[in-house]
């Protein structure tokens, strides 16, 4: 049976108290809706339709690169109305799986079970039993346990509110049937909305068999309506991601104190200390050690690299056995071939540093090529910017740069050069020689410092 998925993402999310459409709120670094789309993709549906509305094209534009069918729900009149808008794009002989854009934690396996057990001429409903069901629609059953309806909390009696079985928002229905019953929906409820949940009454009336599947894990059905639920969902996702790293053989100093906001690949025996924030595409080789409190974004660290505490890096490529930090700031294009050492309070940008070279303290290296076996002394700066243009610095192999050297780019330093501390250089530096540029000290004997006048 052909399957079409409809994802509801038109609501404002009033309870978020945000200017952004709710489905664009980030969870583990990606929009809520991105998680739902990813889950939908794994189900192998014929089409994925997203209903958008609040915030206009912002939601649609956020997924411009994806192959999706979009339906505008110009006025958000309720979940039933939202599904109805999308149905003209769905062939009548398809099954429609409705997912909510604000329920990002659902497991593909759970949805696959629902799709498996629900036949094309029946109504499938994913439910869950929650210790605290507040906020959700409650599943009402008769004495024999047959579903008779779903009642929204705002319309429920005290007795119904006590029901712990809830509507997850996931339903699987025959498209032609759904289109017909949605057309008959009335907004006669506390919120004055067209409720998708009301179609269940039609299923009961028409004796369409109702098949319920209970989600195995109550956490996966969490619908995100406010910031507290968003924070709770973040902890659940982070817990899952941390577990995945543990399963892959990483040691985590504390699995509850690592944040993954992207796609993390690790080798064998990686160690990650507390407070690591990994963003985007991060690749860590075998035996990489990440010290406490570092932010690592879109970077690749080769085997045996060590990151000492409190480093911030983005767009870095490091080969094996590099040592970074503490307190290093590495910006896009920082590339270390192997055994490179970057020490404290060093900033590197768009620079390639070859094997065994060291920049250990308080330096800025930008738009630079550094050869092998180079030692760059404390407080050295490649002065790459003249206020209008960026210029390159080239440092050969086995160069020794003394402390406090200003290399005014464009400039090249020849292989084997030694530069004495404190030089400001704006011309190329000779290979295999000592270059010193330092004013001789002037001493004025008997000179006295100015003194403050005594107060009256
Ligand atoms: C809905 C269900 C409730 C269920 C809960 C699960 C209804 C009437 N209620 O309640 O039974 O327990 O989800 O999380 O269906 N949306 C639109 N257009 C609209 C209204 C909503 O696209 O006009 C979208 C929202 O963006 C959201 C989803 O539908 O992604 C659910 O809407 P929401 O207002 O959050 O419904 P709930 O009150 O949570
Ligand atoms: Ca919701």
């Amino acid at each position: 049976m052909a399957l079409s998925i409809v994802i509801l993402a038109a609501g404002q999310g009033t309870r978020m108290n945000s200017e952004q459409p709710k489905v664009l709120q980030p969870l583990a670094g990606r929009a809520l809706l991105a998680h739902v789309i990813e889950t939908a993709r794994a189900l192998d549906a014929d089409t994925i339709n997203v209903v958008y509305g609040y915030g206009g094209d912002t939601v649609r534009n956020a997924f411009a690169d994806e192959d999706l069918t979009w339906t505008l729900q110009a006025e958000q009149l309720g979940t039933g109305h939202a599904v109805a808008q999308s149905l003209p794009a769905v062939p009548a002989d398809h099954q429609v799986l409705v997912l909510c854009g604000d329920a990002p934690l659902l497991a593909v396996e759970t949805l696959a079970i629902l799709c498996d057990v629900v036949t094309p001429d029946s109504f499938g409903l994913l439910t869950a039993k929650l210790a605290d069901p507040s906020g959700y629609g409650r599943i009402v059953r008769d004495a024999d346990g047959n579903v008779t309806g779903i009642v929204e909390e705002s319309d429920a009696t005290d007795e119904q509110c006590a029901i712990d079985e809830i509507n997850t928002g996931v339903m699987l229905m025959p498209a032609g049937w759904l289109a017909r019953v949605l057309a008959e929906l009335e907004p006669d409820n506390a919120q004055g909305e067209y409720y998708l949940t009301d179609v269940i009454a039609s299923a009961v009336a028409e004796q369409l068999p109702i098949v319920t599947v209970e989600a195995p894990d109550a956490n996966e059905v969490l619908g995100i309506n406010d910031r507290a639920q968003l924070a709770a969902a973040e902890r659940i996702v982070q817990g899952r991601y941390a577990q995945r790293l543990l399963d892959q053989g990483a040691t985590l100093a504390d699995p509850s104190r690592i944040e993954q906001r992207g796609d993390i690949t690790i080798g064998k025996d990686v160690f990650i200390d507390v407070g690591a924030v990994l963003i985007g595409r991060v690749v860590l080789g075998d035996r990489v050690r990440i010290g406490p409190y570092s932010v690592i974004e879109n970077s690749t660290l080769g085997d045996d690299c060590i990151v000492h505490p409190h480093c911030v890096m983005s767009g870095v490529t490091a080969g094996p056995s590099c040592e970074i930090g503490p307190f290093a700031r590495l910006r896009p294009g920082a590339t270390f071939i192997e055994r490179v050492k970057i020490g404290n309070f060093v900033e590197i940008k768009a620079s390639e540093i070859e094997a065994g070279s060291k920049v250990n303290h308080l330096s800025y290296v930008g738009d630079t090529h550094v050869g092998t076996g180079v030692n760059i002394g404390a407080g050295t700066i490649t002065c790459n910017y003249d206020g209008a243009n960026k210029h390159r610095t080239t440092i050969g192999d086995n160069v020794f740069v003394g402390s406090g050297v200003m290399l005014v780019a464009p400039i090249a330093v020849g292989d084997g050069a030694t530069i004495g501390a404190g030089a400001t250089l704006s011309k190329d530096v000779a290979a295999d020689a000592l270059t010193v540029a330092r004013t001789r000290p002037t001493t004025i004997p008997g000179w006295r410092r100015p003194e403050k006048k005594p107060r009256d």
Side-chain angles (χ1 to χ4, degrees):
M1 181 88 188
L3 178 70
S4 282
I5 296 178
V6 172
I7 302 176
L8 304 185
Q12 174 182 2
T14 323
R15 291 163 278 181
M16 278 286 166
N17 203 357
S18 170
E19 289 184 347
Q20 238 188 90
K22 176 167 69 173
V23 294
L24 293 187
Q25 295 287 345
L27 178 71
R30 291 189 299 152
L32 293 178
L33 182 55
H35 292 263
V36 180
I37 291 171
E38 185 183 57
T39 306
R41 290 234 186 270
L43 288 170
D44 231 6
D46 294 83
T47 59
I48 299 176
N49 304 272
V50 184
V51 184
Y52 72 108
Y54 180 80
D57 283 340
T58 38
V59 172
R60 196 176 165 156
N61 292 343
F63 297 88
D65 303 338
E66 299 223 26
D67 176 22
L68 296 161
T69 307
W70 293 90
T71 304
L72 177 66
Q73 184 194 23
E75 266 187 292
Q76 287 79 59
L77 302 179
T79 50
H81 180 260
V83 173
Q85 305 314 297
S86 75
L87 287 187
V90 176
D93 62 348
H94 278 205
Q95 272 181 303
V96 179
L97 177 68
V98 176
L99 302 177
C100 293
D102 69 346
L105 302 179
L106 275 166
V108 176
E109 297 74 28
T110 304
L111 297 173
I113 292 171
L114 186 74
C115 293
D116 262 6
V117 302
V118 176
T119 53
D121 47 5
S122 55
F123 188 114
L125 184 62
L126 184 68
T127 73
K129 290 230 170 91
L130 300 187
D132 175 13
S134 51
Y136 294 91
R138 310 297 206 280
I139 308 291
V140 183
R141 292 179 186 265
D142 65 17
D144 298 327
N146 300 311
V147 175
T148 57
I150 297 173
V151 59
E152 291 305 299
E153 187 165 270
S154 48
D155 305 302
T157 63
D158 286 352
E159 199 184 335
Q160 288 169 328
C161 277
I163 298 171
D164 66 351
E165 188 185 19
I166 62 104
N167 170 31
T168 63
V170 177
M171 295 180 189
L172 181 61
M173 297 153 288
W177 174 84
L178 183 60
R180 178 167 60 74
V181 299
L182 280 177
E184 294 158 9
L185 225 53
E186 295 290 344
D188 47 9
N189 50 59
Q191 302 186 75
E193 289 185 0
Y194 294 91
Y195 285 169
L196 175 63
T197 46
D198 283 349
V199 302
I200 202 130
S202 307
V204 173
E206 297 181 21
Q207 295 184 324
L208 190 68
I210 298 171
V211 180
T212 60
V213 169
E214 189 184 319
D217 173 7
N219 274 339
E220 68 177 283
V221 306
L222 184 66
I224 295 172
N225 301 310
D226 59 32
R227 305 269 182 178
Q229 287 168 327
L230 182 62
E234 184 73 34
R235 286 310 99 210
I236 294 168
V237 176
Q238 291 302 336
R240 286 182 187 174
Y241 290 179
Q243 185 60 47
R244 199 161 63 194
L245 287 187
L246 295 170
D247 292 343
Q248 289 168 354
T251 297
L252 304 180
D254 181 349
S256 69
R257 284 189 287 167
I258 166 176
E259 301 291 306
Q260 297 176 67
R261 299 177 193 151
D263 174 12
I264 320 299
T265 307
I266 56 161
K268 289 268 173 288
D269 296 304
V270 163
F271 171 77
I272 303 177
D273 214 322
V274 297
V277 180
L278 309 177
I279 303 169
R281 177 140 183 74
V282 174
V283 180
L284 306 177
D286 293 342
R287 297 170 300 281
V288 165
R289 299 178 66 84
I290 308 292
Y293 304 108
S294 284
V295 180
I296 302 179
E297 181 173 6
N298 295 323
S299 294
T300 297
L301 304 179
D303 295 348
D304 301 295
C305 281
I306 298 175
V307 177
H308 294 295
H310 298 284
C311 292
V312 178
M313 62 181 90
S314 175
V316 173
T317 308
S321 303
C322 294
E323 214 174 309
I324 295 164
F327 298 102
R329 172 156 190 235
L330 306 179
R331 294 166 53 199
T335 304
F336 310 141
I337 303 305
E338 60 174 314
R339 289 177 289 106
V340 168
K341 282 185 75 176
I342 305 296
N344 43 262
F345 309 109
V346 169
E347 176 177 345
I348 312 273
K349 184 214 85 171
S351 296
E352 188 180 44
I353 303 182
E354 293 198 54
S357 291
K358 298 175 185 169
V359 191
N360 272 336
H361 327 270
L362 299 151
S363 290
Y364 171 68
V365 174
D367 303 311
T368 297
H369 181 93
V370 177
T372 61
V374 170
N375 192 326
I376 295 189
T380 291
I381 292 172
T382 55
C383 311
N384 59 331
Y385 187 50
D386 61 13
N389 303 298
K390 299 274 169 65
H391 300 283
R392 289 196 61 80
T393 298
T394 307
I395 298 173
D397 296 339
N398 300 313
V399 167
F400 182 96
V401 180
S403 296
V405 170
M406 303 294 122
L407 295 166
V408 181
I411 187 168
V413 179
D415 291 347
T418 303
I419 301 174
T424 297
L425 301 168
S426 55
K427 294 211 169 65
D428 288 357
V429 178
D432 300 314
L434 171 65
T435 299
V436 184
R438 193 180 292 165
T439 51
R440 299 209 173 268
T442 306
T443 303
I444 303 173
W447 183 82
R448 295 177 69 107
R449 276 181 230 148
E451 275 168 26
K452 281 187 185 155
K453 280 192 191 138
R455 275 196 210 153
D456 313 320

